[in-house]
Amino acid sequence: MAPTIKDIAKLANVSHTTVSRALNNSPLIKEVTRKKIAEIAAQVGYVPNYNAKSLVMQRSYTIGLFFTSIANGTTSGFFSDTIRGVNSVIDVEYNLFIRGIDDYTEYSSIHRKRFDGIILMSQSEADNKFIYHVVQQGIPIVVLNRQIDDRSIINIISNDREGAYNAGKHLIEAGHQDIAIIEGVEGFKSTQERRDGFIKALIDHNIPVRNDYMRSGNYDMQSGYEAMGKLLDLEKPPTAVFCSNDDMAIGAMKSVFERGLQVPNDVSIVGFDDSGFSLFANPSLTTVKRPIEKISEQGARRLLSLIKEPIENDVLISIDTEFIARESVRKLSK
Amino acid sequence: MAPTIKDIAKLANVSHTTVSRALNNSPLIKEVTRKKIAEIAAQVGYVPNYNAKSLVMQRSYTIGLFFTSIANGTTSGFFSDTIRGVNSVIDVEYNLFIRGIDDYTEYSSIHRKRFDGIILMSQSEADNKFIYHVVQQGIPIVVLNRQIDDRSIINIISNDREGAYNAGKHLIEAGHQDIAIIEGVEGFKSTQERRDGFIKALIDHNIPVRNDYMRSGNYDMQSGYEAMGKLLDLEKPPTAVFCSNDDMAIGAMKSVFERGLQVPNDVSIVGFDDSGFSLFANPSLTTVKRPIEKISEQGARRLLSLIKEPIENDVLISIDTEFIARESVRKLSK
DNA sequence: TAAGGATATCATAACGATTACCTAGTCACC
DNA sequence: GGTGACTAGGTAATCGTTATGATATCCTTA
């Protein structure tokens, strides 16, 4: 069986209390005995039993990383970038627990004893119920990706509205007037932010907002494909389309090509996210880069320090997006 | 504070032992008391403390999902499909712990007390050291994606060799003679399997294997792009290229387009994986579908039953790949 | 009716750590 | 040389469960 502190105590001829203290670098222990104990521990390959530790310390050594949903509306790139970001910060002494909120019908298993802290990559306002529960349980939480009103919660977001605004502006400045938007999952905050930014760009440049140029999608390629199909069926199809994420943009392109049309010659397309393949699409996709991995890293870091010392200091960090011009937009020479 | 079985015991006027038994549906408890206790538990919102439970049960309620690496050579789609697959099987009472093997310099923190079982999505032979450690610790393990020799370990793989063979065969039957391959990360078993299958197809059809038609890559788009560049620089470029995964195929296409050439008119391309965007690429990518999500689901299910009753019954499950013909291959009429 | 056997429950000891509180030794100082 | 302070370490309680061996009650049955 795996050695415990008692085994070490016997070998070192001290009490297990001393061993515990020595291993935790308590000042109550003489340097020489501390060293001896550390040596023995290493020799027998001692590893602390985290369950016992957790039980008495009332800590779990577990960080929960939650998504609104793992199965729906979460693209692979988004998902894995998030995990990569968090993973790179959290060290191996922590368990990283990953789940979708929609895996739960009720939240009773989410409580303080089980999670030292929670990172929520939030996409929907429906998550508020979850957030409320977590806060009520007194679990430190950091909410990423979606702005929430409660200013006592650490909140890290990307400035999607501005990003979408820039995308719209870019199209307008390229001479486009008939610009459509393909939107994301209904109910997702990001969907709304991007729509708002886009529309503001239109309004600021005195371009009428046409209802039939606003198409709903759900962030996956197929939905982009279908939405673009409908746009192209219009009597007067748009000359440019802003897609609320890259996946839908890829789907939209597909639809354009299938009708024998060209991107950007016949239709210009802008995406959002700068996911891995946007550079390698043909033509490469003009898009808005959203720093998911950065946001996740930041979030994890903040959470860790929040766990260490629970100071509430009203944090809302907004990380700017970056417009990336590539080949999918045509400049209209009017 | 959260209620414990002792609190419930007081309320129910029984000993905490009885409560524990009642909650675990022990036959030693009368139905009527069991019901009463269950009611009270529900009323006070009792949730078991898993740390205490784990401590005495010597179980962790944690499943480890390990990758060869999370940062390198693991594409987003692969990564997230795996997690999705596992996630859909493992229920919420378990913790799902996700890490890359290369996050560890030594494995002492990986032991029985911490993991009830481990799922390894293995890509490299270098993982054997890890597997050995896990086995030695007596932790139930299921290895996915890469065949291992030790037949006492449950092993679920996709038949990559055959898949690659079919890809090669398809190209040959379409009339191609000058066929190149862009390979995956060196040292990954999948790289080798796909190469072997591909080469076998060539040999079986009496097509000479040319050294300069074998290019190394590392499974990412950029490497596919670069490798294709080199192929096109050859005096006699290939008319078809088999890319060891879809990401590289996308990169390769990009390279073709940049030179003003067309896929499939000038160069035919086949990928591997059937990742999300292969259908939406332009042209859509002919590829070999590898059922990652199925493999992961299967793996998780097997692990769960292995944990329940540790019977070693020599399991090697090979899930077939599926060839998917789309638009990126041209039929040569010779 | 007393012994024997179920049946239902209880008291207590684990599990492996941390920690509040105590104790033995040493030294300094009056 | 006795008192107090300090040092280094030990004793025992504790965290919330489950497991083990009593124990009390009731029902059979000879």
Side-chain angles (χ1 to χ4, degrees):
Chain A
M1 267 290 79
T4 71
I5 50 170
K6 286 185 185 168
D7 299 324
I8 297 177
K10 253 181 222 143
L11 290 173
N13 257 318
V14 295
S15 76
H16 72 277
T17 305
T18 303
V19 175
S20 172
R21 288 197 175 119
L23 261 25
N24 288 301
N25 294 317
S26 155
L28 289 179
I29 304 297
K30 251 201 300 196
E31 183 57 22
V32 46
T33 47
R34 204 191 60 68
K35 267 217 169 116
K36 187 177 69 178
I37 290 173
E39 251 168 43
I40 296 179
Q43 205 167 33
V44 300
Y46 169 77
V47 279
N49 181 320
Y50 275 86
N51 289 316
K53 205 166 174 159
S54 296
L55 183 56
V56 62
M57 306 278 284
Q58 311 268 35
R59 292 190 42 194
S60 63
Y61 298 93
T62 297
I63 301 282
L65 171 58
F66 287 85
F67 290 81
T68 299
S69 166
I70 285 185
N72 304 310
T74 301
T75 63
S76 303
F78 180 74
F79 185 60
S80 64
D81 282 356
T82 305
I83 296 175
R84 276 185 242 268
V86 171
N87 215 73
S88 69
V89 173
I90 307 257
D91 72 48
V92 289
E93 93 163 334
Y94 276 104
N95 287 331
L96 185 59
F97 175 95
I98 299 176
R99 278 284 171 181
I101 293 181
D102 64 349
D103 287 341
Y104 293 81
T105 52
E106 47 89 43
Y107 302 144
S108 69
S109 69
I110 294 164
H111 52 267
R112 196 139 185 212
K113 299 269 176 61
R114 191 137 176 229
F115 295 102
D116 283 357
I118 283 178
I119 299 172
L120 172 59
M121 179 55 87
S122 180
Q123 316 207 76
S124 162
E125 300 219 333
D127 296 350
N128 286 347
K129 217 174 80 196
F130 176 84
I131 297 176
Y132 178 73
H133 174 85
V134 171
V135 169
Q136 209 180 28
Q137 293 285 318
I139 308 174
I141 185 174
V142 169
V143 177
L144 310 183
N145 195 49
R146 182 177 69 85
Q147 184 166 353
I148 46 175
D149 298 330
D150 187 340
R151 291 271 35 83
S152 70
I153 297 176
I154 294 183
N155 199 191
I156 304 177
I157 59 175
S158 65
N159 196 338
D160 282 15
R161 185 186 298 241
E162 191 196 59
Y165 183 89
N166 289 336
K169 194 174 122 201
H170 179 83
L171 288 172
I172 295 164
E173 288 175 349
H176 292 275
Q177 298 272 348
D178 305 315
I179 310 175
I181 177 175
I182 299 178
E183 303 195 49
V185 175
E186 205 185 317
F188 277 21
K189 186 77 173 186
S190 58
T191 301
Q192 186 186 323
E193 291 282 313
R194 293 172 202 181
R195 179 208 301 129
D196 290 354
F198 171 75
I199 290 182
K200 184 161 191 306
L202 295 188
I203 292 174
D204 281 3
H205 295 81
N206 296 314
I207 294 186
V209 179
R210 288 180 51 168
N211 231 319
D212 54 351
Y213 278 3
M214 304 193 55
R215 292 288 160 177
S216 60
N218 61 19
Y219 282 146
D220 68 19
M221 297 182 187
Q222 182 65 30
S223 73
Y225 173 82
E226 289 165 8
M228 180 56 102
K230 284 183 189 137
L231 286 171
L232 294 175
D233 284 342
L234 291 175
E235 206 162 308
K236 186 182 182 192
T239 63
V241 178
F242 168 62
C243 301
S244 296
N245 79 348
D246 286 356
D247 279 45
M248 294 196 299
I250 295 294
M253 279 192 185
K254 177 81 174 174
S255 172
V256 174
F257 297 138
E258 271 192 1
R259 296 176 183 234
L261 301 173
Q262 290 300 317
V263 175
N265 283 349
D266 300 302
V267 186
S268 293
I269 289 185
V270 176
F272 204 103
D273 277 356
D274 191 32
S275 50
F277 50 76
S278 55
L279 172 59
F280 289 93
N282 177 43
S284 63
L285 185 62
T286 292
T287 190
V288 178
K289 177 171 183 167
R290 193 166 55 128
I292 293 302
E293 207 162 336
K294 278 227 182 70
I295 289 177
S296 313
E297 274 178 40
Q298 272 273 352
R301 237 185 286 281
R302 291 273 173 179
L303 182 65
L304 253 34
S305 62
L306 180 62
I307 290 172
K308 272 211 192 95
E309 35 187 328
I311 30 164
E312 314 275 310
N313 49 355
D314 195 352
V315 182
L316 169 62
I317 300 174
S318 171
I319 299 185
D320 276 342
T321 58
E322 181 189 348
F323 185 80
I324 298 181
R326 289 203 269 251
E327 308 165 349
S328 62
V329 173
R330 175 182 173 203
K331 206 157 194 150
L332 293 187
S333 50
K334 247 212 310 213
Chain B
M1 269 290 79
T4 71
I5 50 171
K6 287 187 184 168
D7 299 326
I8 297 177
K10 252 180 222 143
L11 291 172
N13 257 319
V14 295
S15 77
H16 72 276
T17 306
T18 303
V19 175
S20 172
R21 291 209 171 105
L23 261 25
N24 288 301
N25 293 316
S26 155
L28 290 179
I29 303 297
K30 246 201 307 198
E31 184 56 22
V32 46
T33 48
R34 204 191 60 68
K35 267 218 169 115
K36 187 178 70 177
I37 289 173
E39 252 168 42
I40 297 179
Q43 204 168 33
V44 299
Y46 169 77
V47 278
N49 181 321
Y50 276 85
N51 289 316
K53 205 166 175 159
S54 297
L55 182 57
V56 62
M57 307 277 284
Q58 311 270 34
R59 292 191 43 194
S60 62
Y61 296 93
T62 297
I63 301 283
L65 171 58
F66 287 84
F67 289 80
T68 299
S69 166
I70 285 185
N72 306 309
T74 301
T75 63
S76 304
F78 180 75
F79 185 61
S80 63
D81 282 356
T82 305
I83 296 175
R84 276 185 242 268
V86 171
N87 213 74
S88 69
V89 173
I90 305 255
D91 73 48
V92 290
E93 93 164 334
Y94 276 103
N95 287 333
L96 185 58
F97 175 94
I98 300 175
R99 278 282 171 183
I101 293 182
D102 64 349
D103 286 342
Y104 293 81
T105 52
E106 48 88 43
Y107 302 143
S108 70
S109 68
I110 294 164
H111 52 268
R112 197 142 184 207
K113 299 267 178 62
R114 189 134 177 231
F115 295 101
D116 283 358
I118 283 178
I119 299 172
L120 172 59
M121 178 54 85
S122 181
Q123 317 208 72
S124 162
E125 301 218 333
D127 296 349
N128 286 347
K129 218 174 79 195
F130 176 83
I131 297 176
Y132 178 74
H133 174 86
V134 171
V135 169
Q136 210 181 29
Q137 294 284 318
I139 308 174
I141 185 173
V142 169
V143 178
L144 310 183
N145 195 48
R146 181 177 69 86
Q147 185 166 356
I148 45 175
D149 298 330
D150 187 340
R151 291 270 37 82
S152 70
I153 296 175
I154 294 184
N155 198 191
I156 303 177
I157 58 174
S158 66
N159 197 338
D160 282 15
R161 186 186 297 242
E162 192 195 59
Y165 183 90
N166 289 336
K169 193 174 123 204
H170 179 82
L171 289 172
I172 295 164
E173 288 175 347
H176 292 275
Q177 298 271 347
D178 306 315
I179 311 175
I181 177 176
I182 299 179
E183 302 195 49
V185 174
E186 205 185 318
F188 277 21
K189 186 77 172 183
S190 57
T191 302
Q192 186 186 321
E193 291 283 313
R194 293 172 201 180
R195 180 209 300 128
D196 290 354
F198 172 74
I199 289 182
K200 185 161 189 308
L202 294 188
I203 292 175
D204 282 4
H205 294 81
N206 296 313
I207 293 186
V209 179
R210 288 179 51 167
N211 230 318
D212 54 352
Y213 278 3
M214 305 194 52
R215 292 288 161 178
S216 61
N218 61 19
Y219 282 145
D220 68 20
M221 297 182 186
Q222 183 65 31
S223 73
Y225 174 81
E226 289 165 8
M228 180 56 101
K230 283 183 190 139
L231 286 171
L232 295 175
D233 284 341
L234 290 176
E235 206 162 306
K236 186 180 181 195
T239 63
V241 178
F242 168 61
C243 301
S244 296
N245 79 347
D246 286 356
D247 279 46
M248 294 197 299
I250 295 294
M253 279 192 185
K254 177 81 175 172
S255 172
V256 174
F257 298 138
E258 272 193 0
R259 296 177 184 233
L261 301 174
Q262 291 300 316
V263 175
N265 283 348
D266 299 301
V267 185
S268 292
I269 289 184
V270 175
F272 205 102
D273 277 356
D274 191 32
S275 49
F277 50 77
S278 55
L279 172 59
F280 290 93
N282 178 43
S284 64
L285 184 63
T286 293
T287 189
V288 178
K289 178 171 182 167
R290 191 167 57 128
I292 292 303
E293 207 161 336
K294 279 229 181 67
I295 289 178
S296 313
E297 272 178 41
Q298 272 273 354
R301 237 185 286 280
R302 291 274 172 177
L303 182 66
L304 253 35
S305 62
L306 180 63
I307 290 172
K308 272 211 192 94
E309 35 188 329
I311 29 161
E312 313 276 309
N313 50 354
D314 195 351
V315 182
L316 169 63
I317 300 173
S318 171
I319 299 186
D320 276 341
T321 58
E322 180 189 348
F323 184 80
I324 298 181
R326 290 203 269 250
E327 308 165 349
S328 62
V329 173
R330 177 183 173 203
K331 206 157 194 152
L332 292 187
S333 50
K334 245 209 312 207

